[in-house]
Amino acid sequence: MIDSEKIERAARLFLEGIGENPERPALKETPERIARACKEIFGGYEQDPKKILSKVFDSENSELVVQKDIPFYSMCEHHLLPFFGTVAIGYVPDKKVVGLSKLARLVNVYARRAQIQENLTEQIAEALMAFLKPRGTIVLIKAEHLCMSMRGVNRGAVETSTLSHRGILSEDSDLRKIFFERIAL
């Protein structure tokens, strides 16, 4: 899906567009470096969230499972500048649990795509409901956006938070309160 040749051509044009010489010795290999970086930064387009959440384990646990402080890095689809922060995920199993590393992998699938934080939050919650099929899920993302920090309003260290919940976690405010208490620990 990722076309390295197109990225390299675009990088050369970009360098020319900002007044640089792409043939200058320090920049000569920059288009190739950018193409390699894009394969990693946007690698989420080539990953399937269903496959990540397909390995589940039987469990009698029906209590809230919480994982917090999952770091992520993504790219704003409006400016192609990074936004980054942490994700907290909670879900109430319905006789099936997923390996804990799979939650961080799921975050990466969607974070490694050009998009906005609001959609990232929704995509993670939707994937959990669709593929893990818990009784409910909740996702909280806190992030800093470089499109706001280093350009435009030029205000760094501003945190944006987004929240999405489904199923029993939408219906039960006490359960949501438990989630917020756990992530505050």
Side-chain angles (χ1 to χ4, degrees):
M1 176 180 255
I2 294 176
D3 188 330
S4 294
E5 288 180 27
K6 284 184 179 179
I7 294 169
E8 289 177 31
R9 285 195 308 269
R12 283 186 191 85
L13 285 172
F14 177 81
L15 289 169
E16 290 172 2
I18 63 170
E20 271 292 353
N21 175 6
E23 296 303 316
R24 184 165 60 87
L27 294 176
K28 193 157 181 75
E29 295 177 16
T30 296
E32 293 86 10
R33 286 187 200 104
I34 291 172
R36 284 194 308 271
C38 284
K39 282 187 172 271
E40 185 176 343
I41 292 168
F42 298 104
Y45 290 114
E46 297 176 349
Q47 294 180 312
D48 181 0
K50 182 177 183 178
K51 185 175 179 183
I52 287 170
L53 294 175
S54 67
K55 177 71 173 170
V56 295
F57 304 96
D58 292 334
S59 176
E60 295 305 314
N61 180 30
S62 61
E63 298 296 321
L64 181 64
V65 175
V66 176
Q67 192 171 73
K68 67 177 190 169
D69 298 328
I70 303 167
F72 79 92
Y73 300 87
S74 193
M75 296 292 273
C76 164
E77 67 185 21
H78 299 143
H79 304 100
L80 288 183
L81 289 172
F83 66 98
F84 58 92
T86 60
V87 179
I89 296 173
Y91 73 94
V92 178
D94 189 12
K95 299 186 177 142
K96 301 284 182 191
V97 294
V98 68
L100 295 177
S101 70
K102 304 303 186 196
L103 297 177
R105 290 179 195 278
L106 178 66
V107 168
N108 270 347
V109 166
Y110 292 111
R112 293 184 180 268
R113 299 175 182 190
Q115 63 171 295
I116 59 174
Q117 180 177 338
E118 294 87 344
N119 291 346
L120 175 60
T121 309
E122 294 296 321
Q123 291 166 347
I124 294 167
E126 275 301 310
L128 285 165
M129 291 302 288
F131 306 126
L132 183 56
K133 301 192 184 318
R135 294 177 53 220
T137 191
I138 187 167
V139 178
L140 172 69
I141 297 181
K142 296 178 181 181
E144 179 178 348
H145 294 251
L146 291 188
C147 56
M148 185 174 150
S149 300
M150 65 184 286
R151 60 154 299 282
V153 73
N154 286 298
R155 294 291 180 258
V158 173
E159 182 180 89
T160 300
S161 66
T162 50
L163 179 69
S164 181
H165 42 75
R166 305 278 192 283
I168 193 170
L169 278 146
S170 286
E171 301 157 10
D172 188 335
S173 62
D174 290 335
L175 200 50
R176 284 194 307 276
K177 182 179 175 187
I178 292 169
F179 170 78
F180 287 112
E181 287 170 353
R182 286 208 199 151
I183 65 172
L185 295 174

